[in-house]
C-alpha cells in the first residue's frame, strides 16, 4: 500500500487546487486532434469535488444554448493548463447537485465578496504565478 501512495504523491500537481465548490472557474484544457493541439476553455460552476489524492476530480457545469453541460476533470491531469477562478460562490453545502433542477435566476449562486474573498483570490493568483515562474 505504501508503494501506491508514493506513486500517487509523485503524480500530484503542486498548488493544483486553488478553488472550492460554488466557484465559477475557467478550465484551460488541452485537446489533441490528430497532430494539432489546442486549448479549449470550459467556464462554469464547480458542483462538487470528489475523491482524494491523485484521483481527485471536480465537476463543472455550464449552460450552452439553454442545455446544461457537465464535465468531470481530474485535478492532477497533465492536460489541464490552468484553472482560473472568475467568481467565488457563497454556499453552505459541499455538493451542489440541486442546481441541476433550477432554471434561470434560481440557478445562480450568491457571490462571496469582501476582504476575505479578495484575499483568497489574490492568494490563488499568486500561487499560480509562482508555479508559472518555476517552470
Amino acid at each position: 500500500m505504501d508503494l501506491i501512495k508514493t506513486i500517487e504523491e509523485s503524480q500530484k500537481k503542486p498548488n493544483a487546487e486553488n478553488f472550492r465548490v460554488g466557484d465559477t472557474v475557467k478550465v484551460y484544457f488541452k485537446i489533441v486532434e490528430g497532430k494539432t493541439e489546442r486549448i479549449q476553455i470550459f467556464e462554469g460552476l464547480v458542483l462538487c469535488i470528489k475523491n482524494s489524492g491523485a484521483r481527485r476530480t471536480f465537476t463543472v457545469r455550464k449552460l450552452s444554448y439553454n442545455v446544461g453541460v457537465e464535465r468531470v476533470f481530474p485535478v492532477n491531469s497533465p492536460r489541464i493548463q490552468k484553472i482560473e477562478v472568475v467568481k467565488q460562490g457563497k454556499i453552505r453545502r459541499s455538493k451542489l447537485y440541486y442546481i441541476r433542477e433550477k432554471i434561470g435566476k434560481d440557478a445562480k449562486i450568491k457571490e462571496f465578496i469582501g476582504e476575505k474573498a479578495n484575499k483568497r483570490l489574490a492568494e490563488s493568483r499568486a500561487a499560480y504565478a509562482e508555479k508559472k515562474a518555476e517552470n
Side-chain angles (χ1 to χ4, degrees):
M1 292 302 261
D2 293 335
L3 180 62
I4 293 170
K5 287 183 180 178
T6 55
I7 291 170
E8 283 184 356
E9 287 297 319
S10 67
Q11 294 175 347
K12 283 176 120 179
K13 281 185 178 178
N15 299 324
E17 199 171 328
N18 58 353
F19 59 93
R20 295 181 184 165
V21 175
D23 290 353
T24 302
V25 295
K26 283 184 181 179
V27 181
Y28 292 80
F29 197 73
K30 186 191 302 182
I31 294 182
V32 179
E33 296 170 332
K35 293 181 180 179
T36 61
E37 292 183 354
R38 65 185 175 89
I39 294 179
Q40 184 176 13
I41 301 171
F42 192 90
E43 182 176 352
L45 178 70
V46 179
L47 289 185
C48 66
I49 298 176
K50 291 185 177 180
N51 303 328
S52 63
R55 300 181 194 129
R56 194 169 196 99
T57 61
F58 62 101
T59 304
V60 180
R61 179 180 174 86
K62 75 173 184 176
L63 282 177
S64 180
Y65 299 102
N66 291 328
V67 176
V69 179
E70 290 185 13
R71 187 151 182 202
V72 179
F73 294 100
V75 172
N76 296 303
S77 172
R79 292 203 174 179
I80 292 180
Q81 298 302 309
K82 71 176 180 176
I83 300 168
E84 183 181 312
V85 178
V86 179
K87 289 192 298 187
Q88 296 177 336
K90 185 176 181 182
I91 57 158
R92 297 174 68 174
R93 296 178 183 265
S94 61
K95 308 279 194 246
L96 301 179
Y97 296 135
Y98 68 91
I99 295 292
R100 292 173 178 160
E101 282 81 41
K102 302 288 184 181
I103 298 170
K105 282 190 176 180
D106 286 344
K108 287 191 176 183
I109 300 290
K110 289 183 183 177
E111 192 172 350
F112 189 63
I113 53 176
E115 285 184 34
K116 285 185 180 179
N118 294 337
K119 183 179 176 185
R120 194 176 107 195
L121 200 57
E123 286 175 0
S124 69
R125 289 183 177 156
Y128 176 73
E130 180 180 311
K131 181 183 134 190
K132 192 173 182 179
E134 288 176 4
N135 295 335

